[in-house]
Amino acid sequence: MRYLLGREATQKMEAYSIQRIGIPSLALMERAALAVCRVVCERTDAYSRVLICCGMGNNGADGLATARMLFQRKTAVEVLLVGDPETCTEEFRTQYTIVKRLGIRVGTFSDYEEYIKKETYDILVDAMFGIGLTRPLAGLYRDLIDRINQSDAFVVSVDMPSGISADTGAILGGAVRADLTVTFGCEKLGLALYPGHDYAGEIRIEDIGLIRREPEGLWAYTYGPEDLALLPVRPKRSHKGTFGRLLIAAGSVNMCGAAYLAAKAAYRSGVGLVRILTPEANRAVLQERLPEAVLSSYEPGEFSAAGLQELCDWADAMVIGPGLGKGSHVRVLVNYLLQYGRVPVVLDADALNLIARYPDMTALLSERVIVTPHLGEMAGLTGRSIVDIQGTLPESAITYSQTTKAVCVLKDARTVVSDGREEFYLNTSGNDGMATAGSGDVLAGILGALLAARMPPYEAAVLGVYLHGLAGDAAAEEVGTYALMAEDILQGLVRATKERRVTGNVSI
């Protein structure tokens, strides 16, 4: 697991290190500059020319310190000041004095057109704004950024590409498109969220001596391969009931693909027994494709309360929604399972569309429910536009979870998982090949299996989302992203779970 920090959380970590612990700001700056210098030197030779664009804050001071270090290494380096030196920080003033005494050439902001010319420099270092920018860039700042982006030079950004929000990854008027970003202490939220992630290029996280502690302010965390150790332990002395019974209410007449994918994903994720509740028309195909599953079939509109209650009593967890369709019977089915079931539930796809059509059903949501909307489904649930939601993914997930008490898995290229707290999980596994039919059904099955293994809903949602992305990455290694299909993700689950560690696993 690693932290992803927003602007305020980063600034508080820096303030704690400097003001409470007593580490001099200039000492941290030296280590930051050394990290940037190393990156630049990897890509320079005796004939290379480097231009460092420095803002008036401490990000610019990092750039000035980098210029001094490159100068001492005999690199042809120049500095372009971006802003009014009268507004600079104390650290900037100190570094600027050193640079001037060394005789390094320094240009002023009004002269930027003379500096940013095609093929003039081999490397451009963006040390203009870092994490501190909160308002859109315009005028000369925007023009300068456009020139940098049009340059043929290799662009290195310091801490954040200038113009990218450290909190949301949004473009603030205009933004530097870096080839590589060197960030300090912890990765920033804006480097993980889109479009910021696209603008960052390769990301290097450098330890400059900041004291790490529990973050304050906006922050998130993300999982890595070591977190597969959280997968439920499988006792050697066990039976299929040990690993949970999962009811999957999925599929519509002659449409059983979603039910099949969710059920097989659940089995690939370790569940002991899957029971599929689906129309009778799907029986033959599902029994042929997935004989491991138990079938409970029905004719649409012919439910019995006793039959549904038996299913509720049997299950340790439920997945409701994949491919259910929009038939009139769906509301009866979903309403009963939510109202009379007492086990954790994953609500997906058509179950979410149903709640969007009948908002009064929102009252049935609770802490035991995981909702898994993609952007379109979230728009239906909230009445907001897709563009608005996509620009505020964390806030949207947190607010919906706070309102409904359900765990919200808001699916996008960077999926957010929230249980309503200020901190949240941001998934960084997965790839664009997973934007394919059936991928969400696979995720629903994974989540259902973890719930059936008695993981708490929020922990199951976080681990399930990570595992789903990891399986997609394993699949992409085999077939690439263009050809990737949902069934490939199922096979990717085999590799992902086979390679898990066992130390630290939770008991079931």
Side-chain angles (χ1 to χ4, degrees):
M1 183 180 80
R2 68 182 192 273
Y3 287 138
L4 305 167
L5 303 188
R7 179 178 60 88
E8 182 185 3
T10 302
Q11 290 173 339
K12 286 187 174 181
M13 182 172 68
E14 292 173 351
Y16 179 80
S17 300
I18 295 167
Q19 297 169 13
R20 292 288 300 276
I21 302 302
I23 301 173
S25 175
L26 288 173
L28 297 173
M29 194 167 286
E30 286 296 291
R31 292 187 63 173
L34 276 170
V36 178
C37 183
R38 283 195 300 269
V39 167
V40 173
C41 288
E42 289 172 5
R43 289 167 171 79
T44 57
D45 55 32
Y47 305 100
S48 298
R49 296 189 65 201
V50 179
L51 176 67
I52 303 181
C53 299
C54 298
M56 298 297 107
N58 284 357
N59 193 253
D62 291 338
L64 291 172
T66 302
R68 181 234 309 159
M69 293 174 185
L70 290 171
F71 180 81
Q72 290 175 300
R73 287 167 172 74
K74 310 301 182 185
T75 300
V77 59
E78 298 179 17
V79 171
L80 176 65
L81 300 185
V82 182
D84 181 2
E86 295 298 319
T87 65
C88 70
T89 63
E90 190 62 37
E91 289 86 351
F92 181 96
R93 187 173 287 107
T94 298
Q95 299 289 0
Y96 182 63
T97 299
I98 296 171
V99 163
K100 291 295 287 182
R101 286 174 177 172
L102 286 173
I104 298 172
R105 186 186 177 203
V106 178
T108 60
F109 194 17
S110 59
D111 299 329
Y112 78 87
E113 290 185 349
E114 297 180 15
Y115 283 80
I116 310 296
K117 293 179 180 178
K118 201 167 188 177
E119 299 178 355
T120 301
Y121 297 96
D122 301 289
I123 294 181
L124 286 171
V125 177
D126 158 33
M128 293 184 287
F129 298 108
I131 66 168
L133 190 67
T134 58
R135 62 180 185 274
L137 296 172
L140 291 178
Y141 296 105
R142 176 70 182 271
D143 293 342
L144 173 58
I145 284 174
D146 288 342
R147 290 293 187 94
I148 290 173
N149 290 341
Q150 293 164 11
S151 169
D152 290 336
F154 187 89
V155 177
V156 176
S157 283
V158 178
D159 216 14
M160 288 285 299
S162 291
I164 295 294
S165 166
D167 287 337
T168 68
I171 300 170
L172 300 175
V176 170
R177 190 175 286 277
D179 295 295
L180 187 150
T181 298
V182 185
T183 195
F184 309 125
C186 289
E187 187 175 349
K188 311 305 183 290
L189 269 172
L191 295 177
L193 288 164
Y194 288 93
H197 185 71
D198 274 341
Y199 277 71
E202 180 188 347
I203 298 170
R204 297 257 190 110
I205 304 171
E206 294 287 344
D207 179 9
I208 62 170
L210 292 168
I211 304 301
R212 299 187 183 187
R213 60 173 190 159
E214 189 76 5
E216 300 177 59
L218 182 66
W219 64 280
Y221 65 98
T222 192
Y223 275 177
E226 69 279 2
D227 293 297
L228 285 179
L230 297 170
L231 281 169
V233 170
R234 297 182 66 84
K236 290 183 171 59
R237 188 177 185 182
S238 57
H239 53 81
K240 58 180 177 286
T242 306
F243 305 116
R245 298 183 297 270
L246 179 65
L247 175 66
I248 299 180
S252 52
V253 174
N254 296 320
M255 298 287 287
C256 63
Y260 162 75
L261 290 168
K264 190 165 184 177
Y267 273 125
R268 289 296 196 198
S269 302
V271 78
L273 187 60
V274 174
R275 194 168 181 175
I276 304 176
L277 178 60
T278 194
E280 174 63 26
N282 296 333
R283 175 180 291 277
V285 175
L286 287 172
Q287 286 182 328
E288 180 180 352
R289 293 295 304 276
L290 194 64
E292 297 90 344
V294 175
L295 270 290
S296 292
S297 61
Y298 61 87
E299 294 295 341
E302 296 183 4
F303 301 115
S304 73
L308 290 177
Q309 190 59 55
E310 186 273 328
L311 293 173
C312 289
D313 294 339
W314 173 86
D316 294 312
M318 294 188 284
V319 172
I320 306 172
L324 273 180
K326 299 179 180 179
S328 58
H329 67 284
V330 173
R331 186 180 184 187
V332 176
L333 173 61
V334 175
N335 190 78
Y336 192 97
L337 294 177
L338 278 177
Q339 189 168 358
Y340 295 103
R342 294 292 181 265
V343 296
V345 176
V346 178
L347 283 185
D348 185 49
D350 287 325
L352 299 176
N353 294 328
L354 179 71
I355 292 174
R357 291 198 304 276
Y358 302 102
D360 58 299
M361 293 184 67
T362 302
L364 297 173
L365 303 183
S366 67
E367 294 89 345
R368 67 183 175 89
V369 176
I370 299 174
V371 296
T372 59
H374 56 55
L375 295 178
E377 290 161 348
M378 192 65 165
L381 290 169
T382 62
R384 297 167 57 202
S385 72
I386 290 176
V387 172
D388 184 28
I389 294 167
Q390 193 168 39
T392 57
L393 283 176
E395 178 187 340
S396 298
I398 291 169
T399 299
Y400 192 78
S401 184
Q402 289 173 341
T403 301
T404 64
K405 307 303 181 186
V407 174
C408 182
V409 175
L410 181 50
K411 299 183 292 192
D412 195 28
R414 287 287 190 250
T415 293
V416 172
V417 183
S418 173
D419 62 355
R421 291 176 293 174
E422 184 176 351
E423 66 271 18
F424 57 93
Y425 175 80
L426 183 68
N427 193 55
T428 53
S429 64
N431 58 79
D432 58 275
M434 299 177 72
T436 186
S439 179
D441 304 320
V442 174
L443 174 60
I446 295 171
L447 298 177
L450 296 177
L451 288 179
R454 301 168 185 85
M455 286 192 78
Y458 178 71
E459 285 78 2
V462 169
L463 184 58
V465 166
Y466 173 69
L467 179 59
H468 179 244
L470 204 64
D473 288 336
E477 289 180 12
E478 294 296 321
V479 301
T481 57
Y482 274 90
L484 196 149
M485 296 173 63
E487 289 226 51
D488 299 316
I489 303 174
L490 293 174
Q491 190 58 35
L493 276 170
V494 176
R495 283 185 56 188
T497 54
K498 184 179 179 181
E499 295 169 2
R500 73 178 178 88
R501 300 178 186 179
V502 293
T503 304
N505 284 11
V506 297
S507 180
I508 60 174

